[in-house]
Amino acid sequence: MACHARLSTPTAQLGLPELQLGIIPGFGGTQRLPRLVGISKALEMMLTSKPVKGTEAHDLGLVDSLVSPTELVTSARRWALDMVEGRRPWVASLYKTDKLDSFGEAREIFKFGRAQVRRQAPNLQHPLVCIDVVEAGIISGPRTGLWKEFESFQELVRSDTCKSLIHIFFAQRGTTKVPGVTDLGLKPRRVNKVAVLGGGLMGSGIATALVLSNYPVILKEINEKFLQAGLDRVKANLQSRMKKGKMTQEKFEKTFSLLKGALDYESFRDVDIVIEAVIENVSLKQQIFADLEKYCPPHCILASNTSTIDLNLVGSKTRSHDRIIGAHFFSPAHIMPLLEIVRTNKTSPQVIVDLLDVGKKIRKTPVVVGNCTGFAVNRMFFPYTQAALLLVEHGTDLYLIDKAITKFGMPMGPFRLVDLVGFGVGVATAMQFIENFPERTYKSMVIPLMQEDKRAGETTRKGFYLYDDKRKARPDPEVKKYIEKARSISGITVDPKLAKLSEKDIVEMTFFPVVNEACRVFAEGIAVKAADLDISSVMGMGFPPYRGGIMFWADSLGSKYIYSRLEEWSRTFGGFFKPCAFLAERAAAGAPLSSPVEQVKSRM
């Protein structure tokens, strides 16, 4: 932007993504962009970090001419010579004023921008700093703006937000490096056709993600009614994109034509991957995988979307253990960015490499994890809702918990999340953890009691909240009676201290058990590196990226502090809060939780 002219191809992407890293554009970016495209568009491009294509950049005035890729260098040379020889003007972008609004209009734009930022990102300062810097240049001139940009940049680059977002940036790019797998020189095999079993919300979402990336898909269901419902869900997902202007009618028809329905396995004889997405029922999944082994070709990858069930159990009735793998999507599967790739001790490295490639092609961030109950994401976060229920039964207001957790930066609190997921799914998942980790689960009767009264969450319009036609949630005073009944069954009395918890204490009592379980996941080698758990928490559960992910955030507080708090609570509330051996050892050494695990693992 400091050049006297800019030439671009029509499809080139131009933008200023610095705010994604917790900083603001430097080298005069905050001053030159408003003078080239106008204040409103410049703020939009900077605050959202969304690039524009060459054609739009030309319309905006960001570039002076559009040329083909083959002519780009030649045209640029000719343009430069024309300027030197006086046939084209020299334009200093820093002193352009024709795109700038009047001071009065500019102040209104800045006021609106600040209001938007405070509403959408209340915990972040750097977007407001960006607006301040742009405003300084407009009101006091570009040189003042440049000095303010420089000073602000220096301050922001040392901030915790910047460090956290830079960590996430590199952690996301590091998930595809898996020692002993991606360093073997294996090339991903070509995937020509994919089958998805189950057309429910999850299966249809997975099918949508696949056809959007041009994979031909067979969607199998058990009867015509369920199959049609599954196909209709995919169609609705694609139509939603069309309504938002992300897809043309022609593209919609072409994409939807990639999907075919099936009621049997005959069309599975030439598929390269099958992704099973049926209900969480062990015997049903075992039967499905035994059938798949009979019908699918020997090279076909057999993947399960199970969120909690041990894959060795799923594939126990097959002889194909080397090609069984977990492909755990998060709902809605065509929107959520994470793909948890779960390997067993027998999964072939080639199969992992193949699924990593598919994950990237369907625009997911794939994270490879080990096999256990709940894998990485759900296992880390099973204490999240249980901690919230423990607090409620001991006297903390549930709506205060949700408020504190959303203020911390989560998209929604634990109770609003349970409503969204549905009580049925919540209980089924909780049972897996109660069965496998009985010594550290908190067993609450609140949800089962509510289920007895036909409360099941958002789908029934009654859960911890009441819901109107537009899915807007409002607190329900009736929930108190279920909490009181659960207390009487469990013999729990209200703790006056928990009835008056601060927001800080609510956050810590809800998230420190999550950190504790993340430490176990890391120590057991379920995650290759702590940064993978950070990405999993951010992209799978909505943990705020500007806090760097669950392990990065924990290290910002210190292992000693987290250990001491958990130890204190465990003396009052028992095993649920008991710090694990890994956390205890790191705290004793004053060591970060995220540093490599080998030196600790040998002693555990």
Side-chain angles (χ1 to χ4, degrees):
M1 287 188 291
C3 295
H4 294 103
R6 285 151 298 282
L7 276 64
S8 170
T9 63
T11 55
Q13 303 250 24
L14 296 96
L16 296 176
E18 287 87 350
L19 269 78
Q20 288 185 323
L21 299 178
I23 51 176
I24 59 174
F27 298 106
T30 59
Q31 305 305 305
R32 297 178 195 277
L33 188 61
R35 287 166 170 79
L36 288 166
V37 303
I39 299 170
S40 286
K41 187 65 186 179
L43 284 180
E44 180 195 318
M45 286 176 69
M46 287 187 268
L47 295 175
T48 63
S49 293
K50 285 182 182 172
V52 294
K53 283 194 173 177
T55 46
E56 187 183 350
H58 183 246
D59 294 339
L60 291 168
L62 182 56
V63 299
D64 298 285
S65 182
L66 295 175
V67 291
S68 69
T70 54
E71 295 293 314
L72 196 57
V73 175
T74 307
S75 299
R77 284 173 176 156
R78 193 179 303 122
W79 198 288
L81 286 171
D82 284 348
M83 284 198 299
V84 169
E85 292 166 10
R87 290 190 294 273
R88 289 188 185 275
W90 293 67
V91 180
S93 57
L94 201 56
Y95 297 99
K96 271 173 66 71
T97 57
D98 57 303
K99 291 284 181 77
L100 296 182
D101 305 83
S102 69
F103 280 1
E105 290 167 328
R107 286 190 194 281
E108 286 302 311
I109 293 168
F110 295 130
K111 183 180 173 183
F112 176 76
R114 287 188 181 98
Q116 290 276 83
V117 166
R118 288 190 184 105
R119 189 168 70 251
Q120 294 172 8
N123 292 342
L124 298 180
Q125 283 304 308
H126 65 286
L128 293 172
V129 172
C130 183
I131 295 172
D132 290 346
V133 170
V134 174
E135 184 176 41
I138 300 301
I139 302 299
S140 305
R143 287 194 174 276
T144 302
L146 287 173
W147 275 113
K148 190 167 179 65
E149 177 190 272
F150 173 75
E151 289 163 357
S152 300
F153 189 98
Q154 293 298 314
E155 199 172 317
L156 289 171
V157 83
R158 292 190 291 270
S159 69
D160 290 341
T161 298
C162 178
K163 290 169 188 170
S164 298
L165 289 171
I166 286 174
H167 168 70
I168 289 294
F169 178 85
F170 286 110
Q172 187 178 353
R173 281 146 187 81
T175 62
T176 51
K177 294 180 177 69
V178 186
V181 175
T182 56
D183 50 7
L184 300 178
L186 297 168
K187 300 288 181 199
R189 294 174 293 182
R190 184 177 171 83
V191 172
N192 296 308
K193 191 175 176 185
V194 185
V196 176
L197 268 80
L201 285 175
M202 189 55 88
S204 59
I206 295 168
T208 305
L210 288 160
V211 294
L212 279 169
S213 294
N214 296 316
Y215 282 107
V217 174
I218 298 165
L219 185 66
K220 182 189 177 298
E221 260 296 358
I222 54 170
N223 61 43
E224 196 64 53
K225 181 186 169 187
F226 285 179
L227 177 60
Q228 192 54 54
L231 295 171
D232 288 344
R233 284 189 189 100
V234 178
K235 182 183 275 189
N237 290 339
L238 297 176
Q239 284 172 333
S240 172
R241 289 179 67 83
M242 198 164 60
K243 282 173 193 166
K244 291 172 184 171
K246 294 179 180 178
M247 182 182 271
T248 62
Q249 178 70 34
E250 184 186 357
K251 177 69 175 165
F252 162 78
E253 288 168 8
K254 188 179 176 184
T255 304
F256 190 61
S257 71
L258 292 168
L259 183 68
K260 300 285 183 284
L263 296 174
D264 56 39
Y265 290 108
E266 285 306 314
S267 52
F268 282 45
R269 297 193 184 277
D270 62 343
V271 296
D272 301 303
I273 297 182
V274 178
I275 302 172
E276 166 271 310
V278 304
I279 57 170
E280 294 286 76
N281 179 299
V282 174
S283 56
L284 174 62
K285 289 179 189 286
Q286 288 173 336
Q287 182 58 55
I288 284 170
F289 273 75
D291 290 339
L292 288 173
E293 192 175 43
K294 293 175 198 166
Y295 286 95
C296 298
H299 74 275
C300 178
I301 295 168
L302 306 178
S304 174
N305 178 61
T306 180
S307 56
T308 52
I309 301 171
D310 187 316
L311 286 173
N312 289 322
L313 204 55
V314 170
S316 59
K317 296 186 178 178
T318 73
R319 296 180 305 281
S320 304
H321 299 286
D322 62 326
R323 56 191 176 121
I324 289 177
I325 195 165
H328 179 213
F329 290 78
F330 293 78
S331 188
H334 58 296
I335 294 170
M336 289 292 280
L338 186 69
L339 171 60
E340 202 173 29
I341 296 177
V342 188
R343 57 175 169 174
T344 70
N345 292 333
K346 295 175 182 173
T347 306
S348 145
Q350 181 65 61
V351 167
I352 299 168
V353 167
D354 293 343
L355 198 51
L356 277 167
D357 186 57
V358 171
K360 284 186 280 186
K361 283 178 176 163
I362 61 174
R363 293 184 284 283
K364 303 294 179 193
T365 296
V367 176
V368 177
V369 300
N371 180 39
C372 65
T373 301
F375 317 128
V377 177
N378 283 345
R379 181 170 160 193
M380 270 195 299
F381 275 85
F382 88 78
Y384 176 64
T385 306
Q386 291 188 3
L389 284 163
L390 182 150
L391 291 179
V392 163
E393 288 195 8
H394 287 82
T396 314
D397 179 73
L398 80 88
Y399 301 113
L400 190 63
I401 293 171
D402 271 8
K403 185 182 173 186
I405 297 300
T406 48
K407 196 171 173 184
F408 174 76
M410 294 292 283
M412 59 186 74
F415 296 104
R416 179 68 184 84
L417 180 65
V418 171
D419 275 2
L420 180 67
V421 171
F423 286 10
V425 174
V427 169
T429 305
M431 290 308 293
Q432 289 286 330
F433 295 110
I434 289 167
E435 189 180 322
N436 288 279
F437 311 124
E439 78 290 351
R440 61 178 188 272
T441 49
Y442 182 76
K443 302 164 193 71
S444 169
M445 286 300 294
V446 174
I447 292 175
L449 288 170
M450 291 170 78
Q451 277 184 301
E452 283 178 13
D453 276 3
K454 302 287 187 289
R455 283 176 174 258
E458 199 177 300
T459 51
T460 57
R461 297 206 184 172
K462 274 186 178 184
F464 287 101
Y465 293 82
L466 294 173
Y467 296 89
D468 61 19
D469 294 343
K470 294 180 180 175
R471 294 174 55 194
K472 190 173 180 184
R474 72 178 193 276
D476 182 4
E478 271 200 24
V479 174
K480 279 184 184 174
K481 73 179 185 186
Y482 300 103
I483 296 166
E484 285 163 5
K485 193 172 180 183
R487 279 185 196 132
S488 67
I489 292 169
S490 306
I492 292 169
T493 53
V494 171
D495 183 332
K497 283 189 288 186
L498 293 198
K500 295 178 180 176
L501 272 188
S502 67
E503 288 186 345
K504 174 180 174 286
D505 285 338
I506 288 172
V507 166
E508 290 183 357
M509 290 188 84
T510 307
F511 277 114
F512 284 5
V514 176
V515 172
N516 200 20
E517 197 62 33
C519 286
R520 290 188 179 97
V521 170
F522 188 33
E524 291 169 21
I526 300 300
V528 176
K529 48 192 179 293
D532 286 351
L533 296 178
D534 288 330
I535 288 298
S536 298
S537 67
V538 168
M539 295 192 164
M541 288 300 295
F543 194 84
Y546 53 82
R547 298 192 189 276
I550 193 74
M551 296 292 271
F552 191 91
W553 172 71
D555 276 338
S556 75
L557 300 174
S559 53
K560 282 186 176 180
Y561 176 70
I562 293 171
Y563 173 81
S564 66
R565 293 288 274 163
L566 285 168
E567 187 65 33
E568 176 194 335
W569 300 327
S570 70
R571 286 195 291 271
T572 308
F573 302 106
F576 178 74
F577 286 111
K578 185 70 182 166
C580 68
F582 176 89
L583 178 52
E585 200 157 336
R586 290 286 162 117
L593 299 175
S594 297
S595 52
V597 80
E598 287 75 18
Q599 66 267 33
V600 176
K601 207 173 172 187
S602 60
R603 290 176 279 166
M604 291 178 65

